[in-house]
Amino acid sequence: MTDLPTYVLDRTFDAPASLVWRAWTDPELVPRWYGPGVTSIVHKMDVRVGGVWLHEMRWGDTAHFQRMEYTAVEEPAHLHWLHHTTNEAWETVPNPQMPGWPRTLDTNVTFTEADGQTAMKMTWTPHDPTPEEIETFKSAMEGMSMGWGKGMDVMAEILAELQA
C-alpha cells in the first residue's frame, strides 16, 4: 500500500494545554470554533474511549452530519478518533456535498505544553480509502488550511477570553 496523504495542522496557542483541551472537548465551546461561518450543533459529546461525538453543521437549507468515534483519550495530551461523514441517523455515508470525499478520516490531535503555551498538532488521514477518496482528499488538502485556520483563529480568541 502506498503512503496515504495526510493533512497536518500545527498551531501554537498562548494557553495551557488544559484550556486547549477544554476548547476541543467542551460541547459548549466546540460550536463556537468548529466550522466558522456555519451553525455548528453538538448533538452528543462523550469524550472517552468508545464514546462518540455527534456533530451537525448547517448553512441555509443544507446540513452536514458527522460522527466521531473516540479510540484514544489522554487528557490533556492526546485525542484520537475516526471521523465519519453520516446521514441524519449517524450512519456512515458518502459525502453528499463533496463526491469522492473519504467516508472516514483517521484524526489525531496532540497538545504539548511548554512555557505557558500549547503546541497543537492535528493530522487527518483517509481511513481505509478507495482510490477515488485518496485522490479527492489529496486535491482538497491545499484548501483545508483556510477553514481550519479560521477555526483556530476563533479558538485563540476563546482561549484568551477564558484566561481574562
Side-chain angles (χ1 to χ4, degrees), residues 7-69:
Y7 172 73
V8 178
L9 173 68
D10 286 305
R11 181 76 179 243
T12 299
F13 295 101
D14 288 322
S18 60
L19 280 184
V20 182
W21 173 274
R22 182 176 164 204
W24 276 88
T25 59
D26 183 328
E28 298 295 319
L29 296 177
V30 170
R32 293 178 55 191
W33 66 265
Y34 189 81
V38 302
T39 300
S40 186
I41 304 161
V42 173
H43 289 273
K44 180 177 183 177
M45 186 170 258
D46 182 10
V47 184
R48 62 177 176 83
V49 173
V52 296
W53 167 15
L54 303 177
H55 200 94
E56 176 184 357
M57 292 191 293
R58 291 194 156 275
W59 55 101
D61 293 334
T62 303
H64 178 71
F65 298 91
Q66 303 169 331
R67 182 183 78 244
M68 287 64 111
E69 300 169 350

Side-chain angles (χ1 to χ4, degrees), residues 94-102 132-133 136:
N95 189 317
Q97 286 88 29
M98 189 177 211
W101 183 255
E132 179 187 18
E133 289 174 342
T136 300

Side-chain angles (χ1 to χ4, degrees), residues 37-161:
V38 302
T39 300
S40 186
I41 304 161
V42 173
H43 289 273
K44 180 177 183 177
M45 186 170 258
D46 182 10
V47 184
R48 62 177 176 83
V49 173
V52 296
W53 167 15
L54 303 177
H55 200 94
E56 176 184 357
M57 292 191 293
R58 291 194 156 275
W59 55 101
D61 293 334
T62 303
H64 178 71
F65 298 91
Q66 303 169 331
R67 182 183 78 244
M68 287 64 111
E69 300 169 350
Y70 291 102
T71 58
V73 176
E74 300 165 29
E75 186 176 351
H78 179 234
L79 290 167
H80 179 262
W81 66 81
L82 293 177
H83 189 121
H84 303 270
T85 297
T86 71
N87 58 22
E88 290 181 39
W90 310 109
E91 301 162 327
T92 303
V93 297
N95 189 317
Q97 286 88 29
M98 189 177 211
W101 183 255
R103 292 175 189 221
T104 304
L105 294 166
D106 186 293
T107 308
N108 266 295
V109 187
T110 58
F111 310 94
T112 306
E113 185 176 338
D115 301 321
Q117 294 189 317
T118 300
M120 183 219 68
K121 179 176 186 173
M122 184 198 80
T123 61
W124 247 7
T125 307
H127 179 75
D128 197 20
T130 65
E132 179 187 18
E133 289 174 342
I134 293 170
E135 289 309 310
T136 300
F137 187 80
K138 273 186 192 177
S139 67
M141 283 176 59
E142 189 174 314
M144 288 181 205
S145 293
M146 190 161 72
W148 277 108
K150 287 178 184 176
M152 295 299 100
D153 290 346
V154 174
M155 184 182 290
E157 292 170 9
I158 292 167
L159 293 168
E161 172 189 311

